[in-house]
Amino acid sequence: QVQLVESGGGLVQPGGSLGLSCEASGFTLDRYTIAWFRQAPGKEREGVSCISRSDDKTRYADSVKGRFTISRDNAKSMIFLQMNSLEAEDTAVYYCALEIMGNGRCTFQPSFYTYWGQGTQVTVSS
């Protein structure tokens, strides 16, 4: 059984940090393009960061560049998102997503990804 389970969300003050984790059970992680998305109330789901399966290159949304870092541990089937200098605008439900098909280059199109976690809430507020 394949399953993605996110954890690490919570309430943090502006300027603080949080580390999200995604346990990818049943996946051979290095075969997949992986991504983190987020969705704030009343807004569309947006891509935050991703790693291409083809060349391991990372990509970040302009809004998080320099503040967020994506990584993965293939041996442990874990995906991480380290979030620093958090802002109120980062408040959202965060999702990890995986896809094995395609040319291996990651994208911020949600429709590209087949596998999704259930999400973890991140709230940035004083």
Side-chain angles (χ1 to χ4, degrees):
Q1 181 182 359
V2 295
Q3 190 177 13
L4 298 174
V5 179
E6 301 96 337
S7 61
L11 174 64
V12 63
Q13 291 188 342
S17 298
L18 274 179
L20 304 184
S21 299
C22 174
E23 182 177 1
S25 303
F27 293 94
T28 304
L29 203 53
D30 60 0
R31 297 179 182 177
Y32 290 82
T33 296
I34 65 176
W36 284 96
F37 285 80
R38 66 186 181 188
Q39 188 165 18
K43 293 188 176 182
E44 293 187 352
R45 192 167 295 191
E46 64 171 352
V48 174
S49 184
C50 60
I51 301 178
S52 294
R53 169 176 54 83
S54 57
D55 57 10
D56 234 23
K57 284 189 176 178
T58 57
R59 182 181 171 189
Y60 296 91
D62 288 343
S63 59
V64 307
K65 209 170 288 184
R67 300 188 297 122
F68 289 13
T69 303
I70 190 173
S71 62
R72 66 182 178 190
D73 185 330
N74 292 335
K76 296 182 179 179
S77 291
M78 294 290 296
I79 305 160
F80 305 100
L81 185 68
Q82 179 62 39
M83 305 184 296
N84 299 327
S85 302
L86 283 161
E87 305 167 353
E89 292 73 23
D90 296 317
T91 296
V93 178
Y94 283 71
Y95 301 88
C96 60
L98 269 62
E99 179 56 52
I100 196 171
M101 302 299 288
N103 61 13
R105 283 183 283 182
C106 70
T107 172
F108 287 156
Q109 291 294 327
S111 59
F112 173 78
Y113 296 89
T114 299
Y115 303 99
W116 291 83
Q118 83 291 346
T120 185
Q121 176 70 47
V122 172
T123 302
V124 184
S125 175
S126 56

